[in-house]
């Protein structure tokens, strides 16, 4: 049974770094999940790609199910797939607590966001760097999470696109106290503070964790950097 609340409550714990299980060691998945738990992470971000909506393929329901069995951490599942409505309930059954769909894949996301919440999960809406913020604005009331992409989805290790900053600022004035702003792509020590200062609560991080030897140090440095930006900007 998905736990919408486990994802919604992350906002109260912000800044929260969510490691993206895209660049992890899939041959040692359990070891990586334990290392992340030991590092004190508050949730995991799972990147599902279909080779159609994005030019890369990752994994589907069976791996989400496998990770569900390994951990009680909230699972924030990012669907980069062409037909999210077709698979929403299967991903919730597999163990997603939050399910984020792309507006570019679902031009009318309202019924799917509603469906996700009816399934008991947190509903997220993502949009790409080249999609204007106005495209998602009408659907804000239906979102538990708004995911601002700071790279074109598909691959880890890309450079942060600063177009995300203005979008975060704009959205941060328009969301309610129960809604989270999430940013994904190119988040690392040099970029996390400006995102935190612009109002992000949840920070998806791939290479800046999995490309380092000590996950605990990397996660705490990133959260510390974001926390400092929160304090300076009064967020
Ligand atoms: C991009 C994915 C991300 C990404 C994060 O398509 O949604 O979650 O891989 O990785 P880094 O932090 O390396 O950009
Ligand atoms: Zn992602």
């Amino acid at each position: 049974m998905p736990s919408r609340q486990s994802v919604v409550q992350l906002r109260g714990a912000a800044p929260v770094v969510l490691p993206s299980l895209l660049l992890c060691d899939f041959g040692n998945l359990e070891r990586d999940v334990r290392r992340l738990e030991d590092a004190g992470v508050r949730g995991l971000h799972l990147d599902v790609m279909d080779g159609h909506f994005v030019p890369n393929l990752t994994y589907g329901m069976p791996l989400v199910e496998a990770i569900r069995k390994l951990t009680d951490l909230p699972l924030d599942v990012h669907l980069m797939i062409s037909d999210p409505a077709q698979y929403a309930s299967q991903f919730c059954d597999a163990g997603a607590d939050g399910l984020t769909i792309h507006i570019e894949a679902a031009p009318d996301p309202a019924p799917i966001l509603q469906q996700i919440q009816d399934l008991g999960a947190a509903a997220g809406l993502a949009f790409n760097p080249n999609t204007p913020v106005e495209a998602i604005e009408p659907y804000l009331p239906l979102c538990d999470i708004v995911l601002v992409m700071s790279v074109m989805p598909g691959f880890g290790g890309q450079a942060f696109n600063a177009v995300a900053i203005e979008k975060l600022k704009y959205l941060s004035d328009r969301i309610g106290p129960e809604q989270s702003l999430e940013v994904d792509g190119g988040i690392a020590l040099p970029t996390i503070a400006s995102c935190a200062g612009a109002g992000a609560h949840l920070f998806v991080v791939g290479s800046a964790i999995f490309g380092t030897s000590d996950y605990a140090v990397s996660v705490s440095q990133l959260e510390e950097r974001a926390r400092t930006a929160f304090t300076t900007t009064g967020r």
Side-chain angles (χ1 to χ4, degrees), residues 20-23 45 47 49 54 78 80 102 147 149 151-159 184-188 204-208:
S20 149
L21 297 190
L22 178 60
L23 301 167
H45 180 88
D47 285 307
M49 304 186 188
V54 289
H78 178 190
M80 286 160 276
H102 268 262
L147 172 52
M149 291 303 301
V151 298
M152 280 303 282
F155 300 93
Q158 302 182 71
D184 184 356
I187 303 297
V204 177
V205 182
S207 24

Short mmCIF file of all heavy atoms in Angstrom, two decimals, residues 20-23 45 47 49 54 78 80 102 147 149 151-159 184-188 204-208, ligand 1:
data_model
loop_
_atom_site.label_atom_id
_atom_site.label_comp_id
_atom_site.label_asym_id
_atom_site.label_seq_id
_atom_site.Cartn_x
_atom_site.Cartn_y
_atom_site.Cartn_z
N SER A 20 19.28 9.39 -6.45
CA SER A 20 18.64 8.82 -7.64
C SER A 20 19.27 7.47 -7.95
O SER A 20 20.47 7.38 -8.22
CB SER A 20 18.84 9.79 -8.80
OG SER A 20 18.92 9.08 -10.01
N LEU A 21 18.45 6.42 -7.91
CA LEU A 21 18.97 5.08 -8.16
C LEU A 21 19.05 4.83 -9.67
O LEU A 21 18.29 4.06 -10.24
CB LEU A 21 18.12 4.01 -7.48
CG LEU A 21 18.09 4.09 -5.95
CD1 LEU A 21 17.43 2.85 -5.36
CD2 LEU A 21 19.49 4.24 -5.36
N LEU A 22 19.96 5.58 -10.28
CA LEU A 22 20.17 5.46 -11.72
C LEU A 22 21.63 5.13 -11.92
O LEU A 22 22.00 4.35 -12.79
CB LEU A 22 19.82 6.81 -12.38
CG LEU A 22 20.01 6.95 -13.87
CD1 LEU A 22 19.17 5.95 -14.63
CD2 LEU A 22 19.63 8.36 -14.33
N LEU A 23 22.45 5.72 -11.07
CA LEU A 23 23.89 5.56 -11.21
C LEU A 23 24.43 4.66 -10.09
O LEU A 23 25.63 4.61 -9.86
CB LEU A 23 24.56 6.93 -11.14
CG LEU A 23 24.08 7.91 -12.22
CD1 LEU A 23 24.52 9.32 -11.92
CD2 LEU A 23 24.56 7.48 -13.59
N HIS A 45 14.92 8.13 -4.81
CA HIS A 45 14.32 8.59 -6.06
C HIS A 45 14.62 7.52 -7.12
O HIS A 45 15.77 7.16 -7.36
CB HIS A 45 14.95 9.93 -6.44
CG HIS A 45 14.45 10.53 -7.70
ND1 HIS A 45 13.34 11.36 -7.76
CD2 HIS A 45 14.90 10.45 -8.98
CE1 HIS A 45 13.15 11.77 -9.01
NE2 HIS A 45 14.08 11.22 -9.79
N ASP A 47 14.35 6.33 -11.03
CA ASP A 47 14.18 6.87 -12.38
C ASP A 47 13.77 5.77 -13.36
O ASP A 47 14.57 4.92 -13.72
CB ASP A 47 15.50 7.51 -12.84
CG ASP A 47 15.73 8.86 -12.17
OD1 ASP A 47 14.82 9.71 -12.23
OD2 ASP A 47 16.81 9.04 -11.57
N MET A 49 12.67 4.83 -17.05
CA MET A 49 12.75 5.34 -18.44
C MET A 49 12.38 4.24 -19.42
O MET A 49 12.76 3.08 -19.22
CB MET A 49 14.18 5.80 -18.74
CG MET A 49 14.71 6.82 -17.75
SD MET A 49 16.32 7.43 -18.26
CE MET A 49 16.78 8.39 -16.81
N VAL A 54 12.03 9.10 -23.37
CA VAL A 54 13.43 9.55 -23.28
C VAL A 54 14.30 8.53 -24.00
O VAL A 54 13.93 7.35 -24.08
CB VAL A 54 13.91 9.70 -21.81
CG1 VAL A 54 13.26 10.89 -21.13
CG2 VAL A 54 13.66 8.43 -21.02
N HIS A 78 9.96 8.44 -10.39
CA HIS A 78 9.92 9.44 -11.46
C HIS A 78 9.71 8.71 -12.78
O HIS A 78 10.62 8.04 -13.27
CB HIS A 78 11.26 10.21 -11.43
CG HIS A 78 11.41 11.25 -12.48
ND1 HIS A 78 12.61 11.89 -12.72
CD2 HIS A 78 10.53 11.79 -13.37
CE1 HIS A 78 12.47 12.77 -13.69
NE2 HIS A 78 11.22 12.72 -14.12
N MET A 80 9.55 8.51 -16.48
CA MET A 80 9.90 9.16 -17.75
C MET A 80 9.45 8.19 -18.85
O MET A 80 10.26 7.55 -19.52
CB MET A 80 11.41 9.45 -17.79
CG MET A 80 11.79 10.62 -16.91
SD MET A 80 13.54 10.64 -16.48
CE MET A 80 13.52 9.53 -15.07
N HIS A 102 5.29 13.19 -16.34
CA HIS A 102 5.71 14.37 -17.10
C HIS A 102 4.54 14.97 -17.86
O HIS A 102 3.80 14.26 -18.52
CB HIS A 102 6.82 13.98 -18.09
CG HIS A 102 8.18 14.15 -17.52
ND1 HIS A 102 8.96 15.25 -17.75
CD2 HIS A 102 8.90 13.34 -16.70
CE1 HIS A 102 10.10 15.13 -17.10
NE2 HIS A 102 10.10 13.98 -16.45
N LEU A 147 7.95 18.81 -9.86
CA LEU A 147 9.35 18.47 -10.15
C LEU A 147 9.87 19.33 -11.29
O LEU A 147 9.43 19.20 -12.44
CB LEU A 147 9.46 16.97 -10.49
CG LEU A 147 10.81 16.47 -11.00
CD1 LEU A 147 11.96 16.86 -10.08
CD2 LEU A 147 10.78 14.95 -11.14
N MET A 149 12.67 20.03 -13.75
CA MET A 149 13.85 19.37 -14.31
C MET A 149 14.91 20.41 -14.63
O MET A 149 14.64 21.41 -15.31
CB MET A 149 13.49 18.61 -15.60
CG MET A 149 12.60 17.39 -15.41
SD MET A 149 13.25 16.13 -14.28
CE MET A 149 14.80 15.69 -15.06
N VAL A 151 17.79 19.32 -16.07
CA VAL A 151 18.46 18.75 -17.26
C VAL A 151 17.35 18.15 -18.12
O VAL A 151 16.24 17.92 -17.61
CB VAL A 151 19.47 17.62 -16.92
CG1 VAL A 151 20.60 18.13 -16.04
CG2 VAL A 151 18.78 16.41 -16.28
N MET A 152 17.63 17.91 -19.39
CA MET A 152 16.68 17.12 -20.18
C MET A 152 16.73 15.70 -19.64
O MET A 152 17.82 15.14 -19.47
CB MET A 152 17.06 17.14 -21.67
CG MET A 152 16.63 18.42 -22.37
SD MET A 152 14.83 18.76 -22.26
CE MET A 152 14.19 17.64 -23.50
N PRO A 153 15.57 15.10 -19.32
CA PRO A 153 15.61 13.79 -18.69
C PRO A 153 16.20 12.73 -19.62
O PRO A 153 16.11 12.84 -20.84
CB PRO A 153 14.14 13.50 -18.38
CG PRO A 153 13.36 14.37 -19.30
CD PRO A 153 14.20 15.58 -19.55
N GLY A 154 16.77 11.72 -19.03
CA GLY A 154 17.31 10.61 -19.82
C GLY A 154 18.63 10.08 -19.29
O GLY A 154 18.86 8.88 -19.33
N PHE A 155 19.46 10.98 -18.78
CA PHE A 155 20.79 10.53 -18.38
C PHE A 155 21.24 11.26 -17.12
O PHE A 155 20.92 12.44 -16.92
CB PHE A 155 21.80 10.80 -19.50
CG PHE A 155 21.45 10.07 -20.77
CD1 PHE A 155 20.68 10.70 -21.74
CD2 PHE A 155 21.83 8.75 -20.97
CE1 PHE A 155 20.32 10.02 -22.90
CE2 PHE A 155 21.47 8.07 -22.13
CZ PHE A 155 20.71 8.70 -23.10
N GLY A 156 22.01 10.55 -16.31
CA GLY A 156 22.65 11.18 -15.17
C GLY A 156 23.90 11.90 -15.64
O GLY A 156 24.34 11.75 -16.79
N GLY A 157 24.47 12.69 -14.76
CA GLY A 157 25.76 13.31 -15.04
C GLY A 157 25.74 14.49 -15.99
O GLY A 157 26.79 14.90 -16.48
N GLN A 158 24.57 15.07 -16.26
CA GLN A 158 24.53 16.23 -17.15
C GLN A 158 24.70 17.53 -16.35
O GLN A 158 24.51 17.56 -15.14
CB GLN A 158 23.17 16.29 -17.87
CG GLN A 158 22.82 15.06 -18.69
CD GLN A 158 21.47 15.26 -19.38
OE1 GLN A 158 21.34 16.04 -20.33
NE2 GLN A 158 20.45 14.55 -18.90
N ALA A 159 25.03 18.59 -17.10
CA ALA A 159 25.24 19.89 -16.44
C ALA A 159 23.90 20.53 -16.08
O ALA A 159 22.94 20.48 -16.85
CB ALA A 159 26.04 20.81 -17.36
N ASP A 184 15.67 18.26 -10.12
CA ASP A 184 16.33 17.01 -10.53
C ASP A 184 17.23 17.28 -11.74
O ASP A 184 16.76 17.73 -12.78
CB ASP A 184 15.22 16.00 -10.90
CG ASP A 184 15.76 14.61 -11.26
OD1 ASP A 184 16.98 14.42 -11.30
OD2 ASP A 184 14.92 13.72 -11.51
N GLY A 185 18.51 16.97 -11.56
CA GLY A 185 19.47 17.06 -12.68
C GLY A 185 20.61 18.00 -12.40
O GLY A 185 20.39 19.20 -12.22
N GLY A 186 21.80 17.45 -12.31
CA GLY A 186 22.98 18.29 -12.14
C GLY A 186 23.09 18.94 -10.77
O GLY A 186 23.77 19.95 -10.61
N ILE A 187 22.40 18.35 -9.77
CA ILE A 187 22.49 18.92 -8.42
C ILE A 187 23.76 18.41 -7.74
O ILE A 187 23.97 17.19 -7.62
CB ILE A 187 21.24 18.55 -7.57
CG1 ILE A 187 19.95 19.00 -8.26
CG2 ILE A 187 21.37 19.16 -6.17
CD1 ILE A 187 19.81 20.49 -8.45
N ALA A 188 24.58 19.35 -7.30
CA ALA A 188 25.86 19.03 -6.66
C ALA A 188 26.20 20.21 -5.76
O ALA A 188 25.42 21.18 -5.66
CB ALA A 188 26.93 18.84 -7.74
N VAL A 204 17.08 15.95 -5.95
CA VAL A 204 17.46 14.63 -6.48
C VAL A 204 18.93 14.69 -6.87
O VAL A 204 19.37 15.61 -7.56
CB VAL A 204 16.60 14.29 -7.72
CG1 VAL A 204 17.04 12.96 -8.30
CG2 VAL A 204 15.13 14.27 -7.34
N VAL A 205 19.68 13.71 -6.40
CA VAL A 205 21.12 13.71 -6.67
C VAL A 205 21.59 12.33 -7.12
O VAL A 205 21.35 11.33 -6.43
CB VAL A 205 21.92 14.13 -5.41
CG1 VAL A 205 23.42 14.16 -5.73
CG2 VAL A 205 21.47 15.49 -4.88
N GLY A 206 22.23 12.29 -8.28
CA GLY A 206 22.81 11.05 -8.78
C GLY A 206 24.32 11.06 -8.65
O GLY A 206 24.88 10.60 -7.66
N SER A 207 25.00 11.64 -9.64
CA SER A 207 26.47 11.55 -9.67
C SER A 207 27.17 12.16 -8.47
O SER A 207 28.21 11.66 -8.06
CB SER A 207 27.03 12.14 -10.97
OG SER A 207 26.16 13.06 -11.52
N ALA A 208 26.59 13.21 -7.88
CA ALA A 208 27.28 13.84 -6.75
C ALA A 208 27.21 12.98 -5.48
O ALA A 208 27.80 13.32 -4.46
CB ALA A 208 26.71 15.23 -6.48
C1 LIG B 1 17.63 12.48 -15.22
C2 LIG B 1 17.12 11.76 -13.97
C3 LIG B 1 17.86 12.12 -12.75
C4 LIG B 1 19.35 12.16 -12.84
C5 LIG B 1 20.09 12.61 -11.65
O1 LIG B 1 16.95 12.02 -16.30
O2 LIG B 1 15.77 12.03 -13.78
O3 LIG B 1 17.30 11.68 -11.56
O4 LIG B 1 19.86 10.98 -13.32
O5 LIG B 1 21.46 12.43 -11.86
P1 LIG B 1 22.54 13.60 -11.75
O6 LIG B 1 22.48 14.08 -10.34
O7 LIG B 1 23.82 12.93 -12.08
O8 LIG B 1 22.15 14.67 -12.73
#
